[in-house]
Amino acid sequence: MDSNPSHYLTIFIFSLVIFLYPFANAQLDYGFYRMSCPNLFMIVKNGVREALKNDNRMAASLLRLHFHDCFGCDGSVLLDDTESFKGEKNAFPNRNSVRGFEVIDKIKVDVEAACPSAVSCVDILAIAAREAVAQSGGPFWYVPCGRRDGFTASEKAANEQLPSPIEPLENITAKFVAKGLDLKDVVVLSGAHTIGYAQCFTFKGRLFDFKGSGKPDPTLDSLLLSYLRTTCPNVDKSNNKLNPLDSTTTYMFDNAYYKNLVSNSGLLESDQALMGDPRTAWIVNSYSMYPFLFYQDFGASMVKLGSIGVLTGQVGEIRKKCGSVN
């Protein structure tokens, strides 16, 4: 056996590099803007920091905005409706819930001032999502770039392809797999619910009429059930009220989400279902005990997510304004 300390140091450094630079789509490049916009990452970082100062919910919103764009990462979620297409902003998974457009628009203005017509809106969104996580105490990962903005959007596609919090785990997994992700990605990307809020209608069925039984979800922690019934009473006017997805550390990106699932305190049925399936429960348990493992895997899965359906090279465009094509 090799007892040379330098040998183990080399292995450690190599492993660290693999963590910091997860494998990405070969069409994307970690140094894509090195020459054309060297200050890009600092501009985005500052823009996100300013947004979080004004609204502590914005970290979760930017992360969700990127996720909802990246079942085909082309900036389509940012487009407003036009005469030729109905966009994604009013699709069921996005209506009255997806937000943060003005933050991306503001960052885009700053980026255009520094690097005119060089950086796509979809790349700005991908970097902003990373910053939202990192500035909330979560992991940092390197974002490969080179995505170009698409020319259209589809409300119908968003309705059909985006996972819903009221869907069974099998349906959600199938939608991930259809995009080249896997069951592990489902579990690790669900960990984004360690920050942010959900509207009452997305989980109210668990409180009063679980699967048509007229009774609450028997797996839901009794103390949490009592609390949620007071904040989300069984009346229609409470449907859009907000509750934190993780009430223990609502604005901190950590592994408390998984600890909550282990103690039957997941807010959404689709989240708690991860503990009801042995294929995913062991991953949840691992992340609840080892936050570094969650952070490492989250960065890698975000790179995979950000590589779905990208437009590169001469395909697509660099939008001057994120809400409309040039």
Side-chain angles (χ1 to χ4, degrees):
M1 180 180 291
D2 188 347
S3 60
N4 185 346
S6 63
H7 172 74
Y8 296 105
L9 180 61
T10 300
I11 293 175
F12 171 75
I13 293 174
F14 176 75
S15 299
L16 185 61
V17 169
I18 291 299
F19 167 56
L20 293 177
Y21 286 88
F23 294 109
N25 187 303
Q27 296 174 297
L28 303 179
D29 184 352
Y30 288 102
F32 188 83
Y33 293 112
R34 186 178 294 117
M35 301 299 292
S36 61
C37 196
N39 293 324
L40 169 63
F41 289 90
M42 186 56 66
I43 295 170
V44 178
K45 181 177 183 178
N46 290 338
V48 172
R49 179 184 293 121
E50 191 63 29
L52 297 191
K53 280 183 187 177
N54 296 325
D55 182 356
N56 52 12
R57 286 178 53 205
M58 191 52 66
S61 297
L62 291 174
L63 180 56
R64 187 164 183 259
L65 192 59
H66 174 56
F67 181 87
H68 280 221
D69 184 48
C70 274
F71 265 47
C73 286
D74 58 0
S76 58
V77 75
L78 304 173
L79 288 173
D80 296 321
D81 292 354
T82 70
E83 292 182 358
S84 60
F85 66 79
K86 197 170 184 181
E88 300 170 18
K89 291 183 178 180
N90 285 310
F92 176 74
N94 297 334
R95 189 182 310 138
N96 299 322
S97 63
V98 168
R99 58 198 290 271
F101 299 102
E102 73 285 354
V103 174
I104 301 302
D105 289 342
K106 172 64 169 62
I107 294 172
K108 176 64 172 174
V109 169
D110 294 342
V111 170
E112 283 293 312
C115 318
S117 301
V119 182
S120 66
C121 293
V122 62
D123 272 349
I124 289 172
L125 181 54
I127 300 166
R130 189 275 309 279
E131 284 301 322
V133 171
Q135 292 184 35
S136 300
F140 177 96
W141 64 92
Y142 286 90
V143 179
C145 292
R147 303 167 190 81
R148 288 168 67 86
D149 299 316
F151 295 114
T152 189
S154 171
E155 181 183 53
K156 181 175 182 290
N159 280 328
E160 292 173 351
Q161 297 176 20
L162 286 173
S164 164
I166 59 177
E167 284 186 289
L169 180 60
E170 293 78 12
N171 291 21
I172 294 173
T173 301
K175 289 182 175 181
F176 273 69
V177 170
K179 296 297 181 178
L181 301 173
D182 57 31
L183 193 60
K184 181 181 177 183
D185 294 314
V186 173
V187 182
V188 70
L189 293 174
S190 294
H193 287 169
T194 187
I195 54 176
Y197 286 75
Q199 297 180 72
C200 286
F201 81 88
T202 61
F203 58 86
K204 193 186 288 186
R206 300 185 70 199
L207 311 182
F208 302 100
D209 188 23
F210 183 63
K211 298 186 184 301
S213 66
K215 299 178 181 179
D217 183 347
T219 67
L220 185 59
D221 176 79
S222 58
L223 290 178
L224 180 60
L225 172 63
S226 297
Y227 168 75
L228 291 175
R229 280 183 154 184
T230 62
T231 59
C232 288
N234 195 22
V235 291
D236 288 345
K237 66 179 182 180
S238 73
N239 282 349
N240 295 326
K241 288 184 64 177
L242 297 175
N243 266 264
L245 286 158
D246 167 20
S247 59
T248 55
T249 54
T250 302
Y251 303 110
M252 178 66 67
F253 195 100
D254 54 22
N255 69 331
Y257 164 82
Y258 297 103
K259 294 179 179 179
N260 292 340
L261 297 187
V262 171
S263 62
N264 291 320
S265 299
L267 185 66
L268 302 179
E269 183 181 347
S270 57
D271 286 336
Q272 194 59 53
L274 297 175
M275 277 303 291
D277 188 323
R279 298 173 302 163
T280 53
W282 73 271
I283 307 176
V284 171
N285 279 309
S286 296
Y287 291 156
S288 73
M289 293 185 289
Y290 305 111
F292 179 80
L293 179 63
F294 166 48
Y295 285 2
Q296 175 180 283
D297 289 351
F298 189 83
S301 285
M302 285 297 289
V303 171
K304 286 177 67 176
L305 176 71
S307 301
I308 295 172
V310 295
L311 307 176
T312 58
Q314 297 303 307
V315 183
E317 67 174 2
I318 305 297
R319 288 183 210 146
K320 294 191 179 298
K321 293 185 177 181
C322 294
S324 59
V325 299
N326 295 340

